[in-house]
Amino acid sequence: MIDFNNQTNLEINLEEFEKIAKFITDKEFELIVVDNKTIQELNKEYRNIDKPTDVLSFPLDVACEHMPIGSIIISADKVIEKANELGHSKADEFKLLLIHGLLHLTGYDHEIDNGEMREKEEEIIKKFNLPDSLIVRTES
C-alpha cells in the first residue's frame, strides 16, 4: 500500500503508519522522506517558495483503480525539529504529517475549504490517540 523511500537516517516503523493510512484510504501512494535541503528545492520548484517545509503532497490526477493516488514527501529535519519544539515523539510528528499529506491526496485542501480538512485531521488524531498538541497545531 505504501511505496516507501527513506533517504535519511530517521528511523521509521512503517507498520505504525500503515494503520493510519488504511483508515484514510485503501489506495496505494508513495511516501518519501528527505532532508530540508531536498524539500526546499522541491518547494521552490513546485510552489515557488524558497524555504524548507514539513510536508508536500503531489496528488495524481489519473482516476484509475490500480494507480497510486500520489506522492507525499516529508522532511525528516522538520519532523525532528517540531517534535523537539512541541515535546512529543518523532513518530507522532511523522503521523501528523502523514495524515496531513494523505488528506491532500484524497481531495482535502485547507487553503480553500471551510475547515473540513482540519475537522478530519482532528478526528484522525483523536482516533489514533495522538497528543492534543497536534490538534491545537492543526487549528492554526
Side-chain angles (χ1 to χ4, degrees):
M1 178 165 151
I2 301 175
D3 181 8
F4 185 61
N5 180 353
N6 187 355
Q7 301 175 8
T8 72
N9 294 326
L10 184 65
E11 291 185 29
I12 296 168
N13 178 355
L14 202 53
E15 287 180 25
E16 278 186 68
F17 307 114
E18 285 179 338
K19 291 175 189 171
I20 293 172
K22 285 179 184 174
F23 179 77
I24 298 171
T25 182
D26 62 352
K27 301 290 186 184
E28 185 176 326
F29 64 95
E30 180 179 47
L31 176 60
I32 305 169
V33 184
V34 299
D35 59 18
N36 270 351
K37 180 180 183 289
T38 302
I39 208 162
Q40 180 171 346
E41 291 168 357
L42 293 168
N43 204 22
K44 182 177 181 184
E45 181 176 348
Y46 292 100
R47 298 179 64 226
N48 204 29
I49 299 173
D50 192 12
K51 65 180 185 176
T53 189
D54 50 6
V55 60
L56 292 171
S57 298
F58 297 96
L60 290 179
D61 292 333
V62 179
C64 180
E65 183 179 337
H66 302 290
M67 292 285 294
I69 58 173
S71 300
I72 299 170
I73 303 170
I74 294 177
S75 167
D77 297 324
K78 289 289 187 180
V79 167
I80 295 164
E81 177 186 311
K82 272 299 187 189
N84 290 336
E85 177 186 324
L86 297 175
H88 55 253
S89 73
K90 291 178 280 222
D92 284 344
E93 180 63 25
F94 196 93
K95 288 173 188 174
L96 175 67
L97 298 178
L98 176 66
I99 291 165
H100 190 87
L102 262 179
L103 288 176
H104 276 300
L105 292 187
T106 57
Y108 288 88
D109 189 346
H110 57 87
E111 293 182 10
I112 60 171
D113 71 14
N114 291 316
E116 292 91 352
M117 183 169 172
R118 297 296 184 207
E119 287 176 21
K120 190 67 173 175
E121 279 181 327
E122 184 173 346
E123 172 192 327
I124 297 166
I125 287 167
K126 286 181 178 177
K127 174 165 181 53
F128 288 95
N129 298 313
L130 296 170
D132 287 343
S133 62
L134 300 180
I135 294 171
V136 171
R137 193 165 119 212
T138 64
E139 293 173 350
S140 57

